[in-house]
Amino acid sequence: MSKNQVLFERAQRTIPGGVNSPVRAFRSVGGTPRFIERAQGAYFWDADGKRYIDYIGSWGPMILGHVHPEVLEAVQRVLADGFSFGAPTEAEIEIAEEICKLVPSIEQVRMVSSGTEATMSALRLARGFTNRSRIIKFEGCYHGHADSLLVKAGSGLLTFGNPTSAGVPADIAKHTTVLEYNNVEQLDEAFKAFGSEIASVIVEPVAGNMNLVRATPEFLNALRERCTEYGAVLIFDEVMCGFRVALGGAQEVYGIKPDLTCLGKVIGGGMPAAAFGGRRDIMAHLAPLGGVYQAGTLSGNPIAVAAGLKTLQLIQRRGFYDDLAKQTRKLVDGLGAAARDAKVPFSADSIGGMFGLYFMDRVPGSFAQIQQGDTQRFNAFFHAMLDAGVYFAPSAFEAGFVSSAHDDAVIDATLDAARGAFASLAA
């Protein structure tokens, strides 16, 4: 029995499902999760000592690759001064200033410790600012595990949403309306029906939790126009795509200014850190200035801030995003060519350092289209690549990530493995 199997059996005795985040369990692809012991650059090594090319990057944060020497040095420099204070530090001001500089829609920002905290707090703030209760979210977009966000579409277009998790009261779910991603007609209908009740619309402008799905410019422009018209707060959840698709996030790519933005992943440099911020008049409603309460013991933790601040500084180097996008595009183009050679139905897309792989003939634009993909073929591909030492997300419904450490040699090795994997699918 491998050490990974031994650890998984041991973990299941004290941890529900043997993992602390469900996607790590390999449930959708089958098999034993890999327990990671160390990482460096574009690689990590499991408990059996096997090396993998890593395309999850801790689900996005490791944009510089693992254990980047300058980030490591920044963390080591602050460690000796203390792990946490429960009081403000100058570094918190520095990272706030850096975020506001890089994302022009953010005039003020509040640090938190997770993406779920960021979205939950932003929605509470939007409700407090507007004195309204209803929120709109979109099918396939994941915004963390707060109660009001674990909701799926109702049986009809404008029916109340239904909880997708046990433990979420129907009385909470009823305040969430779920619409189809990229569907402007549904959006217009929802605002006509509920416009005066809508506190906020929250959206991933580049979705990553139903796999990579881009919003259309028409869809995001309609969101901005309707929110402005009806006085609702437009929230861009850029926890995943922020600083991933461009230095200014997806809002820079699309040229659209949300009212509030949620950030995470990259801004922690691999440490637990996230943030939400936006218009000064909205942020003024937060305690201690206003009546919307939000707090966190470890918010702005000095170690996390040190890692995040150094990461934000390094990604501003000239040509960083051009190089990152080029390597990501080389990966997806190469995978597409390998699939065509093997005559396997497949498509792929990328934006910045994010990519999506779809076992279908077209790039999808909604959750319903994503569901048409061949998950059995994906599972077989995933395991073939895993056996070859390439670690993609263990789910057909998750985006992948490339770092600046994924050089030509890494991409070429991945494509060599992929040609064999696709050939085995065609056999």
Side-chain angles (χ1 to χ4, degrees), residues 3-26:
K3 189 174 180 182
N4 286 305
Q5 291 172 304
V6 171
L7 289 172
F8 190 43
E9 289 186 6
R10 177 183 165 195
Q12 291 176 83
R13 291 195 288 270
T14 52
I15 303 172
V19 292
N20 284 307
S21 187
V23 76
R24 300 176 193 170
F26 276 39

Side-chain angles (χ1 to χ4, degrees), residues 25-34 50 52 375-394 421 424-425:
F26 276 39
R27 283 289 180 93
S28 66
V29 295
T32 302
R34 301 310 191 256
K50 182 171 180 175
Y52 300 88
T375 54
Q376 288 188 335
R377 246 188 180 140
F378 169 82
N379 292 352
F381 175 79
F382 168 82
H383 279 289
M385 294 298 283
L386 196 67
D387 290 343
V390 180
Y391 194 110
F392 285 121
S424 70
L425 299 183

Side-chain angles (χ1 to χ4, degrees), residues 38-57:
R38 64 188 180 93
Q40 183 69 54
Y43 304 98
F44 56 38
W45 286 259
D46 72 8
D48 291 312
K50 182 171 180 175
R51 188 187 77 171
Y52 300 88
I53 298 172
D54 175 22
Y55 284 106
I56 60 167

Side-chain angles (χ1 to χ4, degrees), residues 137-142 178-179 181 204 207-211 367:
K137 70 178 291 288
F138 298 93
E139 198 170 22
C141 289
Y142 175 72
V178 185
L179 306 178
Y181 195 72
E204 287 183 280
N209 288 288
M210 55 175 154
N211 211 322
F367 183 61

Side-chain angles (χ1 to χ4, degrees), residues 80-313:
D81 294 329
F83 295 174
S84 182
F85 309 123
T89 67
E90 184 178 359
E92 292 176 60
I93 305 171
E94 292 172 348
I95 197 169
E97 289 171 343
E98 202 70 15
I99 290 169
C100 291
K101 178 187 80 174
L102 296 174
V103 187
S105 71
I106 298 179
E107 296 175 331
Q108 288 193 320
V109 63
R110 174 69 61 84
M111 295 296 296
V112 292
S113 298
S114 73
T116 291
E117 268 192 275
T119 55
M120 174 185 72
S121 303
L123 285 171
R124 182 185 301 150
L125 177 57
R127 284 168 161 158
F129 176 73
T130 61
N131 290 313
R132 301 173 183 174
S133 297
R134 185 179 297 277
I135 64 171
I136 289 178
K137 70 178 291 288
F138 298 93
E139 198 170 22
C141 289
Y142 175 72
H143 306 290
H145 59 270
D147 284 354
S148 59
L149 293 168
L150 290 177
V151 178
K152 65 180 178 181
S155 58
L157 170 59
L158 297 179
T159 60
F160 293 138
N162 301 311
T164 56
S165 170
V168 177
D171 281 351
I172 291 177
K174 74 180 184 181
H175 295 296
T176 301
T177 298
V178 185
L179 306 178
E180 185 179 278
Y181 195 72
N182 278 331
N183 190 322
V184 175
E185 184 179 345
Q186 281 192 6
L187 179 72
D188 287 342
E189 191 172 343
F191 267 99
K192 286 176 184 175
F194 302 124
S196 62
E197 304 172 24
I198 297 170
S200 176
V201 179
I202 186 168
V203 66
E204 287 183 280
V206 176
N209 288 288
M210 55 175 154
N211 211 322
L212 174 69
V213 178
R214 302 181 191 223
T216 64
E218 295 77 13
F219 175 62
L220 292 184
N221 277 308
L223 286 178
R224 179 65 278 173
E225 290 169 4
R226 298 300 165 271
C227 285
T228 300
E229 180 181 358
Y230 287 88
V233 175
L234 177 58
I235 302 174
F236 272 13
D237 177 353
E238 296 218 44
V239 167
M240 187 171 281
C241 63
F243 303 114
R244 255 287 162 192
V245 301
L247 185 58
Q251 53 198 271
E252 175 188 308
V253 174
Y254 286 96
I256 294 174
K257 190 174 182 180
D259 301 307
L260 293 175
T261 299
C262 299
L263 298 168
K265 310 288 188 186
V266 171
I267 70 164
M271 295 286 186
F276 65 100
R279 282 169 36 193
R280 187 178 300 272
D281 61 320
I282 299 177
M283 296 298 288
H285 284 253
L286 278 176
L289 298 178
V292 178
Y293 191 73
Q294 182 276 328
T297 299
L298 295 177
S299 296
N301 173 270
I303 301 169
V305 166
L309 182 58
K310 178 53 70 173
T311 298
L312 292 181
Q313 291 167 348

Side-chain angles (χ1 to χ4, degrees), residues 344-376:
V344 173
F346 178 84
S347 58
D349 193 18
S350 72
I351 177 170
M354 289 178 68
F355 66 88
L357 311 178
Y358 326 100
F359 280 80
M360 56 198 302
D361 288 326
R362 60 172 175 162
V363 172
S366 69
F367 183 61
Q369 291 175 11
I370 280 280
Q371 289 182 306
Q372 297 168 16
D374 188 338
T375 54
Q376 288 188 335

